[in-house]
Amino acid sequence: MNTNKRYSPEVRERAVRLVAEQQGEYSSRWSAICSIAEKIG
């Protein structure tokens, strides 16, 4: 399965932006990624 096609470029851009903006609220970058991934789906 090609995961690069799973999300539109807009959704991927938004996810990256959210991680960058909210990273300070989490103990690590990975924690931020996991939390935002759950919200995006």
Side-chain angles (χ1 to χ4, degrees):
M1 183 169 142
N2 187 352
T3 57
N4 289 336
K5 300 288 183 181
R6 186 170 177 187
Y7 299 104
S8 70
E10 293 83 10
V11 172
R12 290 169 34 128
E13 182 179 316
R14 179 173 175 238
V16 170
R17 187 174 59 248
L18 285 171
V19 170
E21 290 173 355
Q22 298 180 10
Q23 184 173 324
E25 298 176 23
Y26 297 91
S27 59
S28 68
R29 182 180 293 178
W30 183 249
S31 316
I33 291 169
C34 291
S35 175
I36 291 167
E38 287 179 9
K39 294 172 186 171
I40 290 179

